[in-house]
Amino acid sequence: MNWIRKMALLIVMTVAVFQGLVSVADEIFKSGTGTLSIELPLDQSHPLQKAVYGVNNLLISRPLGYQHPGFIKAYEYAGCPVIRYPGGTSANYINHMTGYFDIHKAAGFHVPEYERANRGILKQKDGFQVEEFLGFVAETGARFNLVLNICTMTYAENEAYMQRLQRAGAKLEFVELGNELYYGGPNRGYGYFYPEASDYAVGMEKYAHMIRSYFPEAKIGVIIPAEIFQHLDFTTEKQNRFGQWVTALQKYDYYDAVIMHMYSKIGVSLKDGKQPAGYEEAYRNALSYMDSRFGHAVKKVKGYFPGKKIWVTEYALASVFGKDAKTAPFKDISQTHAGNLGACAFTLKLFSEASIELASRHSFSGMVDLMDRKNLMSGGGRVVPNSVLDFFKLYSEVVQGGDRFLTPLIQGGHTYTGNEDGEYPDIAAGYFFTENYGRLVLINKGVMEYTVGPITSDNTPATIVACRQISPKRNLSIEEALASKDAVKQHELAQSELRNIILPPLSVTLITLEQEPLAPDSIGLLK
């Protein structure tokens, strides 16, 4: 099919830690050097799912509104990722008819948490109202995925909410029917609202029909257990609440997508008193976790729900969850270089799977720092992008400029030793391209140093014309680099350096390439 004649602009992303960094646990990663050769098989590409570039977000009780000039500026600086509204767990309790959390219907540790949250909301005019968010959407053109409260809000209240959104001129593109409601049991946790898995599977069909009566183009997603990702031995044959949840939903076809959360655990277990020795081990644990589970989980989900899209509406590196999350060891992992690099590698996995239509990195509110907080609600104060946002926004460039995605073929890369079932590649790669140009993402996850060798497509070599790198500062150990939250710099390579581009350990580098025009049939019959 004659739709690609010339590829110009190829960007390689590699997040860099320079040669000379010392690992405190050399047995975790192989050291040394290597040279990579990269082939771009255009006939193995699929349409780029641009909504995979998205973020979870929670502003309900925080001293910051969606229409604060600083928040809007930070969001636009990020390249306007798809934004999840109003959040995750909080979405199950916030009542959009009142603007406050339904405390009397909450359970467990959420009661005092949401009592405090309501006190925070009281400081905001008219509570937490969706119209403020819709004003933000109108100003920025943001795409969003809406999480419905199907716990404390009644069916009638949700229908009134749909009518309210319709009157406001909202465009519902993605609708999530609840958040993680598979946890709990009869009279326990979310089981208070949905005692049996079948209660959710049956009840959501009515919701789906109601939503489409107001928003015919809306895509509807139902939630499935995160345990499919977390446990390699997950099976519906066990018929616990998680297995029953999958089995119950398999009987219906009213939804467009299934929703999973994929947090890569770093090896903390409060029950067993276990924790990593440092950030390097935590990082390796998370890499091993995602590399061993991602493909396995996606294959299972596609088997359970053939033809359905997959939405991964929360993902990050994580320590523990629930009431202990704020005091757990390595609770700040997502704010570090380890968290940034690990999440960057995971984002690339999401783009690589054609069935994944939507994703939300957790969380945008952690990608900005709030200064002079007492003046934020009045429009003052400052909202400052931090290194997490600087890192995350790299994908905005490849998404905005691409139409298709493929996984490059890499030769010369080595492996690291994982915790689960063997060896995993040091190098992760993805190519985002359109008719006239493309961008390549290379992530050096390990501590070997690599030289970029030939990059070809259809045996046609590319010419490197520019290169930009993001890297931790020099003279840091591996542990110091991974634990760092702000020891990061960006710089452009000089023309004289382009002849020998190095991918340092733990890497992101942006390389612009030019390539001779390709024959019309070189990419096959792509649609």
Side-chain angles (χ1 to χ4, degrees), residues 9 21 32 61 73 82 86 92 105 131 138 170 199 214 241 250 258 263 297 315 323 336 359 383 391 491:
L9 292 185
L21 299 190
S61 59
K73 186 176 181 180
V82 179
N92 292 330
K105 297 180 181 180
E131 283 76 14
D199 296 326
Y214 294 99
R241 183 171 171 88
Q250 286 177 310
V258 292
Y263 285 98
Y315 72 94
K323 61 185 177 61
T336 65
V383 181
F391 208 114
H491 70 286

Side-chain angles (χ1 to χ4, degrees), residues 231-295:
H231 300 292
L232 291 168
D233 62 349
F234 179 90
T235 173
T236 57
E237 295 176 1
K238 292 183 178 180
Q239 282 302 290
N240 52 19
R241 183 171 171 88
F242 304 127
Q244 292 168 357
W245 200 275
V246 172
T247 302
L249 285 169
Q250 286 177 310
K251 299 175 183 178
Y252 298 91
D253 192 42
Y254 57 81
Y255 49 91
D256 302 287
V258 292
I259 304 166
M260 285 188 70
H261 292 168
M262 296 184 174
Y263 285 98
S264 298
K265 296 184 179 180
I266 64 173
V268 172
S269 174
L270 298 182
K271 179 179 179 181
D272 300 329
K274 296 180 180 179
Q275 67 180 68
Y279 283 90
E280 182 177 1
E281 185 178 344
Y283 168 71
R284 188 280 304 265
N285 289 344
L287 284 186
S288 179
Y289 197 94
M290 67 176 72
D291 283 340
S292 65
R293 285 167 170 78
F294 179 78

